[in-house]
Amino acid sequence: FVVLLVAAIGLRPGIAALIAYTSKLPIDLRKSLHDFEPSRLTAYRSRPSDPNFTRLFSDQDLGTAEWLGLWVEERRPSVEPNGELMLFVTYYSDPRDSIPHTPEVCYRQGGATVHAIEKVSVETPGLGPDTPRIDARLLRINQGESRMAVLYVICCNGKYFHGRERARLQIGLPGDRYTYFSKIEVAVNCPEGVIDFDVAVERAKKLLAEALPVLVDEHFPTREQVVGD
């Protein structure tokens, strides 16, 4: 009885201490996404944003005040029609977040049809020798009369995932003191019969590969900050 009584008394504070030890904390960006500098994308220049974009999305819709919607075009434009490029980035730092805002979910909720979802490899030399390539998720989407190639990856505590299931697991794993995740998405318009889908995908890969090092080097928390004391 005495042993059981002592165990019962110590159980609750012991569990509380374990939860406190293993629970992760939020962490802020080093530099806000609102201060992203398009000039850091050396192969691209910014172009006027779609005026409807700010009406389509809000902080409440996206679940975060830290997001970036940027329209760009190649500095060395092609003689062939190649469609608009959009870089869309969102940042979250809630350890209890279930990552609900992914393109295959949000586009469907907006009335679009997702015709195909696949994993693709993206060459990322700008991320350094330890990350020469990453896996990303590619969507083939039709929304009304328009067709789009949408490419995205989730960066969670400095690691890259092509789906939210693995990112959720990373958030829950013990070890790091802090946690964050960011969805980095590139969308390219490619009208049927006008712009080849595979060409649009290659353009999306190039923009994603150039944007990621800028985000990692200037905006996302460092690995040392995430590990904590």
Side-chain angles (χ1 to χ4, degrees), residues 1-16:
F1 175 79
V2 172
V3 171
L4 290 175
L5 180 62
V6 171
I9 293 173
L11 183 61
R12 183 172 295 177
I15 291 176

PDB file of all heavy atoms in Angstrom, residues 1-16:
ATOM      1  N   PHE A   1       0.833  -1.209   0.000  1.00  0.00           N
ATOM      2  CA  PHE A   1       0.000   0.000   0.000  1.00  0.00           C
ATOM      3  C   PHE A   1       0.867   1.257   0.000  1.00  0.00           C
ATOM      4  O   PHE A   1       0.597   2.227  -0.705  1.00  0.00           O
ATOM      5  CB  PHE A   1      -0.928  -0.016   1.222  1.00  0.00           C
ATOM      6  CG  PHE A   1      -1.725   1.241   1.374  1.00  0.00           C
ATOM      7  CD1 PHE A   1      -2.869   1.465   0.613  1.00  0.00           C
ATOM      8  CD2 PHE A   1      -1.332   2.218   2.287  1.00  0.00           C
ATOM      9  CE1 PHE A   1      -3.596   2.630   0.760  1.00  0.00           C
ATOM     10  CE2 PHE A   1      -2.059   3.392   2.428  1.00  0.00           C
ATOM     11  CZ  PHE A   1      -3.216   3.593   1.663  1.00  0.00           C
ATOM     12  N   VAL A   2       1.901   1.234   0.854  1.00  0.00           N
ATOM     13  CA  VAL A   2       2.790   2.404   0.939  1.00  0.00           C
ATOM     14  C   VAL A   2       3.475   2.658  -0.398  1.00  0.00           C
ATOM     15  O   VAL A   2       3.594   3.792  -0.858  1.00  0.00           O
ATOM     16  CB  VAL A   2       3.833   2.199   2.063  1.00  0.00           C
ATOM     17  CG1 VAL A   2       4.877   3.311   2.030  1.00  0.00           C
ATOM     18  CG2 VAL A   2       3.147   2.150   3.413  1.00  0.00           C
ATOM     19  N   VAL A   3       3.951   1.561  -1.038  1.00  0.00           N
ATOM     20  CA  VAL A   3       4.614   1.692  -2.340  1.00  0.00           C
ATOM     21  C   VAL A   3       3.658   2.281  -3.370  1.00  0.00           C
ATOM     22  O   VAL A   3       4.004   3.179  -4.145  1.00  0.00           O
ATOM     23  CB  VAL A   3       5.152   0.325  -2.816  1.00  0.00           C
ATOM     24  CG1 VAL A   3       5.642   0.422  -4.256  1.00  0.00           C
ATOM     25  CG2 VAL A   3       6.278  -0.136  -1.908  1.00  0.00           C
ATOM     26  N   LEU A   4       2.414   1.776  -3.399  1.00  0.00           N
ATOM     27  CA  LEU A   4       1.423   2.279  -4.344  1.00  0.00           C
ATOM     28  C   LEU A   4       1.095   3.742  -4.061  1.00  0.00           C
ATOM     29  O   LEU A   4       0.917   4.546  -4.984  1.00  0.00           O
ATOM     30  CB  LEU A   4       0.157   1.426  -4.271  1.00  0.00           C
ATOM     31  CG  LEU A   4       0.268   0.007  -4.822  1.00  0.00           C
ATOM     32  CD1 LEU A   4      -1.028  -0.760  -4.568  1.00  0.00           C
ATOM     33  CD2 LEU A   4       0.579   0.026  -6.307  1.00  0.00           C
ATOM     34  N   LEU A   5       1.008   4.101  -2.792  1.00  0.00           N
ATOM     35  CA  LEU A   5       0.701   5.478  -2.416  1.00  0.00           C
ATOM     36  C   LEU A   5       1.804   6.427  -2.867  1.00  0.00           C
ATOM     37  O   LEU A   5       1.545   7.492  -3.445  1.00  0.00           O
ATOM     38  CB  LEU A   5       0.508   5.570  -0.907  1.00  0.00           C
ATOM     39  CG  LEU A   5       0.168   6.969  -0.354  1.00  0.00           C
ATOM     40  CD1 LEU A   5      -1.156   7.448  -0.941  1.00  0.00           C
ATOM     41  CD2 LEU A   5       0.110   6.939   1.166  1.00  0.00           C
ATOM     42  N   VAL A   6       3.056   6.031  -2.624  1.00  0.00           N
ATOM     43  CA  VAL A   6       4.187   6.871  -3.040  1.00  0.00           C
ATOM     44  C   VAL A   6       4.225   7.016  -4.558  1.00  0.00           C
ATOM     45  O   VAL A   6       4.464   8.093  -5.102  1.00  0.00           O
ATOM     46  CB  VAL A   6       5.513   6.274  -2.515  1.00  0.00           C
ATOM     47  CG1 VAL A   6       6.707   7.016  -3.114  1.00  0.00           C
ATOM     48  CG2 VAL A   6       5.554   6.341  -0.999  1.00  0.00           C
ATOM     49  N   ALA A   7       3.962   5.882  -5.253  1.00  0.00           N
ATOM     50  CA  ALA A   7       3.964   5.918  -6.714  1.00  0.00           C
ATOM     51  C   ALA A   7       2.870   6.832  -7.230  1.00  0.00           C
ATOM     52  O   ALA A   7       3.074   7.597  -8.181  1.00  0.00           O
ATOM     53  CB  ALA A   7       3.780   4.500  -7.260  1.00  0.00           C
ATOM     54  N   ALA A   8       1.684   6.765  -6.621  1.00  0.00           N
ATOM     55  CA  ALA A   8       0.566   7.607  -7.055  1.00  0.00           C
ATOM     56  C   ALA A   8       0.874   9.081  -6.836  1.00  0.00           C
ATOM     57  O   ALA A   8       0.551   9.936  -7.663  1.00  0.00           O
ATOM     58  CB  ALA A   8      -0.706   7.203  -6.315  1.00  0.00           C
ATOM     59  N   ILE A   9       1.508   9.379  -5.689  1.00  0.00           N
ATOM     60  CA  ILE A   9       1.844  10.775  -5.384  1.00  0.00           C
ATOM     61  C   ILE A   9       2.875  11.318  -6.370  1.00  0.00           C
ATOM     62  O   ILE A   9       2.804  12.461  -6.821  1.00  0.00           O
ATOM     63  CB  ILE A   9       2.362  10.888  -3.933  1.00  0.00           C
ATOM     64  CG1 ILE A   9       1.231  10.574  -2.949  1.00  0.00           C
ATOM     65  CG2 ILE A   9       2.936  12.280  -3.674  1.00  0.00           C
ATOM     66  CD1 ILE A   9       1.684  10.497  -1.513  1.00  0.00           C
ATOM     67  N   GLY A  10       3.826  10.477  -6.736  1.00  0.00           N
ATOM     68  CA  GLY A  10       4.906  10.942  -7.622  1.00  0.00           C
ATOM     69  C   GLY A  10       4.589  10.858  -9.096  1.00  0.00           C
ATOM     70  O   GLY A  10       5.300  11.437  -9.922  1.00  0.00           O
ATOM     71  N   LEU A  11       3.509  10.154  -9.446  1.00  0.00           N
ATOM     72  CA  LEU A  11       3.208   9.932 -10.865  1.00  0.00           C
ATOM     73  C   LEU A  11       2.866  11.210 -11.599  1.00  0.00           C
ATOM     74  O   LEU A  11       3.414  11.498 -12.668  1.00  0.00           O
ATOM     75  CB  LEU A  11       2.060   8.930 -10.989  1.00  0.00           C
ATOM     76  CG  LEU A  11       1.676   8.533 -12.422  1.00  0.00           C
ATOM     77  CD1 LEU A  11       2.862   7.870 -13.111  1.00  0.00           C
ATOM     78  CD2 LEU A  11       0.469   7.592 -12.408  1.00  0.00           C
ATOM     79  N   ARG A  12       1.966  11.984 -11.018  1.00  0.00           N
ATOM     80  CA  ARG A  12       1.504  13.183 -11.721  1.00  0.00           C
ATOM     81  C   ARG A  12       2.614  14.198 -11.950  1.00  0.00           C
ATOM     82  O   ARG A  12       2.806  14.659 -13.074  1.00  0.00           O
ATOM     83  CB  ARG A  12       0.330  13.806 -10.972  1.00  0.00           C
ATOM     84  CG  ARG A  12      -0.261  15.032 -11.683  1.00  0.00           C
ATOM     85  CD  ARG A  12      -1.533  15.499 -11.032  1.00  0.00           C
ATOM     86  NE  ARG A  12      -2.589  14.491 -11.151  1.00  0.00           N
ATOM     87  CZ  ARG A  12      -3.800  14.631 -10.612  1.00  0.00           C
ATOM     88  NH1 ARG A  12      -4.094  15.712  -9.919  1.00  0.00           N
ATOM     89  NH2 ARG A  12      -4.699  13.690 -10.774  1.00  0.00           N
ATOM     90  N   PRO A  13       3.374  14.579 -10.923  1.00  0.00           N
ATOM     91  CA  PRO A  13       4.484  15.524 -11.196  1.00  0.00           C
ATOM     92  C   PRO A  13       5.542  14.926 -12.106  1.00  0.00           C
ATOM     93  O   PRO A  13       6.197  15.645 -12.867  1.00  0.00           O
ATOM     94  CB  PRO A  13       5.041  15.832  -9.800  1.00  0.00           C
ATOM     95  CG  PRO A  13       4.557  14.737  -8.929  1.00  0.00           C
ATOM     96  CD  PRO A  13       3.242  14.306  -9.471  1.00  0.00           C
ATOM     97  N   GLY A  14       5.728  13.590 -12.050  1.00  0.00           N
ATOM     98  CA  GLY A  14       6.696  12.960 -12.946  1.00  0.00           C
ATOM     99  C   GLY A  14       6.277  13.074 -14.390  1.00  0.00           C
ATOM    100  O   GLY A  14       7.096  13.383 -15.271  1.00  0.00           O
ATOM    101  N   ILE A  15       4.992  12.837 -14.667  1.00  0.00           N
ATOM    102  CA  ILE A  15       4.477  12.969 -16.030  1.00  0.00           C
ATOM    103  C   ILE A  15       4.551  14.413 -16.479  1.00  0.00           C
ATOM    104  O   ILE A  15       4.931  14.711 -17.621  1.00  0.00           O
ATOM    105  CB  ILE A  15       3.034  12.445 -16.096  1.00  0.00           C
ATOM    106  CG1 ILE A  15       3.019  10.922 -15.904  1.00  0.00           C
ATOM    107  CG2 ILE A  15       2.392  12.817 -17.430  1.00  0.00           C
ATOM    108  CD1 ILE A  15       1.622  10.326 -15.862  1.00  0.00           C
ATOM    109  N   ALA A  16       4.198  15.326 -15.589  1.00  0.00           N
ATOM    110  CA  ALA A  16       4.263  16.751 -15.930  1.00  0.00           C
ATOM    111  C   ALA A  16       5.683  17.161 -16.283  1.00  0.00           C
ATOM    112  O   ALA A  16       5.918  17.920 -17.235  1.00  0.00           O
ATOM    113  CB  ALA A  16       3.731  17.587 -14.775  1.00  0.00           C
TER     114      ALA A  16
END
